Amino acid sequence: MSPSEIDLSVVIPVYNESANIGPLCERLGPVLQRVSAAWEILFVDDGSEDGTLAAIAARNAGDSRIGAISFSRNFGKEIAIAAGLDHARGRAVVIMDADLQHPPETIASFVERWREGYVMVYAQRTSREDESPVKRGFARLFYRLFDSFTNMALPEGAGDFRLIDRRAVEVLRALPERARFSKGLYAWIGFKSVGVPYEVAPREHGTTKWSFRKLFRFAFDGITAFSTVPLRVWTYLGGLISLFSIACAIFFIVRTLLFGTDVAGYPSLIVSIMFLGGVQLMSLGMIGEYIGRIFAEVKRRPLYVVAERIGNAAEVTQELVPGERRAARA
Ligand code: UDP
Ligand code: MG
């Protein structure tokens, strides 16, 4: 099948999801059959170590529309999505998780809105009840920070579960950055978008791949990729501290002129030295975070390394966007 003949590609990043591949294909197949004449499922195996690829190969033997590309190691979900967009051939691409938390039936509403002319259709979770209060609190804090730091509002409760028209896919593929924060990129590219409500189901098999630490790094990546406020805030803080110290100096000069000098003041000296030292280290650290990211970008390494291909994906030799991002072949 040539690229233009495929109507709908479903890109599914998978990392150690062997138990989910079967049930997912069973549920997804009939839905796709209903909404599209020509579809493909493209798994992106993000360096699984548990036979996920074998499970996909078994599915591929029964239905050649199911294929996969497999990374040489774990590169992370964001990179897996980027690879999926590179290799998907459909006129629209649906991105979803493998653990059946994203109900495949929602895709029917996606396609409906897409045919109405929307370029991007995202699923919007109706509640975060399934998550712990702490995680929910941090999520809310993150969205508020992101909003005020970047002047770019992310739609509430929208994640990677979405349909993207070919036009927007090409734009996303042309964004060369390595520290990828897809949610921000979706918002950044614009286009006519609409949300479709959905209920998050509990995870079918296996465990979540996100530790708290990983989520924190992810949130940090998101903010630093779209905002320089964390860099600039030190200018203001430094200015405030300078003003305060000038006020202090004037106070001490006046006091010394009026009442003479004494040796007291050791505690205040230590406190102010430590405070300033802390502020300086923090601001240096913040600058370091950005320099680290600049370093990662200028190295121009490929985003991912494909080690193996299954099914249709094997035929794809798509030329990537001029000069920029390139996938490496192992
Ligand atoms: N995933 C991935 N690479 C990773 C971590 C996760 O491809 O390094 C995939 C995972 O297999 C799943 C999706 O990303 O299909 C969402 O992961 P998970 O369900 O663990 O996240 P949660 O739903 O808990 O946010
Ligand atoms: Mg999940």
Side-chain angles (χ1 to χ4, degrees):
M1 236 185 272
S2 81
S4 59
E5 284 170 38
I6 292 188
D7 191 36
L8 197 62
S9 297
V10 181
V11 163
I12 309 173
V14 282
Y15 179 47
N16 294 344
E17 303 278 10
S18 56
N20 285 319
I21 303 290
L24 175 67
C25 290
E26 295 299 330
R27 251 180 86 184
L28 192 53
V31 173
L32 295 179
Q33 206 58 44
R34 263 203 314 282
V35 300
S36 165
W39 51 268
E40 64 169 359
I41 297 177
L42 176 64
F43 286 101
V44 182
D45 170 30
D46 189 9
S48 302
E49 296 123 22
D50 72 336
T52 297
L53 200 59
I56 299 170
R59 287 281 146 183
N60 171 259
D63 189 338
S64 65
R65 289 171 293 189
I66 299 173
I69 53 172
S70 177
F71 287 172
S72 56
R73 65 168 171 85
N74 182 253
F75 279 87
K77 185 188 176 187
E78 296 295 309
I79 304 288
I81 290 174
L85 293 181
D86 283 344
H87 292 84
R89 298 170 298 167
R91 280 189 288 265
V93 178
V94 169
I95 301 170
M96 69 186 294
D97 285 359
D99 53 8
L100 287 168
Q101 285 192 293
H102 296 161
E105 292 72 28
T106 315
I107 295 175
S109 341
F110 283 180
V111 171
E112 209 171 285
R113 305 316 293 272
W114 174 49
R115 305 234 192 261
E116 282 169 18
Y118 287 98
V119 174
M120 182 103 73
V121 190
Y122 51 86
Q124 230 168 349
R125 58 200 298 173
T126 41
S127 78
R128 279 183 174 269
E129 290 303 312
D130 57 307
E131 292 178 341
S132 71
V134 179
K135 201 172 166 190
R136 244 181 298 163
F138 272 103
R140 196 163 314 132
L141 177 70
F142 169 74
Y143 281 108
R144 192 159 312 153
L145 277 181
F146 193 90
D147 199 1
S148 58
F149 279 11
T150 63
N151 297 318
M152 207 171 65
L154 298 178
E156 190 80 30
D160 289 315
F161 188 25
R162 59 182 65 221
L163 178 146
I164 310 171
D165 182 81
R166 174 54 53 188
R167 274 176 289 168
V169 169
E170 290 309 319
V171 177
L172 285 171
R173 291 183 62 210
L175 302 178
E177 56 208 88
R178 266 124 259 263
R180 295 187 83 77
F181 182 68
S182 304
K183 268 186 262 195
L185 297 180
Y186 302 141
W188 184 85
I189 64 169
F191 286 114
K192 207 173 142 193
S193 310
V194 69
V196 168
Y198 84 112
E199 198 79 49
V200 183
R203 201 173 216 290
E204 196 88 344
H205 297 281
T207 51
T208 176
K209 309 293 181 296
W210 294 91
S211 61
F212 194 77
R213 207 178 68 98
K214 238 173 146 185
L215 276 176
F216 187 79
R217 290 306 307 175
F218 185 55
F220 207 77
D221 268 343
I223 287 180
T224 52
F226 285 91
S227 165
T228 52
V229 169
L231 273 180
R232 283 179 289 133
V233 69
W234 304 106
T235 319
Y236 302 112
L237 195 61
L240 277 179
I241 292 174
S242 304
L243 282 180
F244 179 71
S245 64
I246 289 171
C248 282
I250 292 171
F251 170 77
F252 284 129
I253 289 170
V254 170
R255 203 182 60 165
T256 310
L257 288 178
L258 291 182
F259 306 106
T261 177
D262 53 21
V263 277
Y266 176 72
S268 60
L269 209 60
I270 288 297
V271 166
S272 60
I273 287 173
M274 287 211 300
F275 177 68
L276 280 178
V279 167
Q280 282 168 356
L281 282 181
M282 261 200 295
S283 61
L284 266 181
M286 203 63 229
I287 294 170
E289 291 283 350
Y290 278 87
I291 292 179
R293 280 162 177 75
I294 295 170
F295 182 54
E297 298 291 339
V298 297
K299 275 188 289 192
R300 301 222 150 270
R301 291 207 180 127
L303 268 187
Y304 50 88
V305 181
V306 173
E308 258 178 272
R309 289 152 198 270
I310 290 178
N312 291 331
E315 301 159 17
V316 183
T317 44
Q318 281 191 31
E319 197 39 53
L320 287 171
V321 189
E324 289 298 349
R325 257 172 51 196
R326 265 175 218 293
R329 252 158 279 248

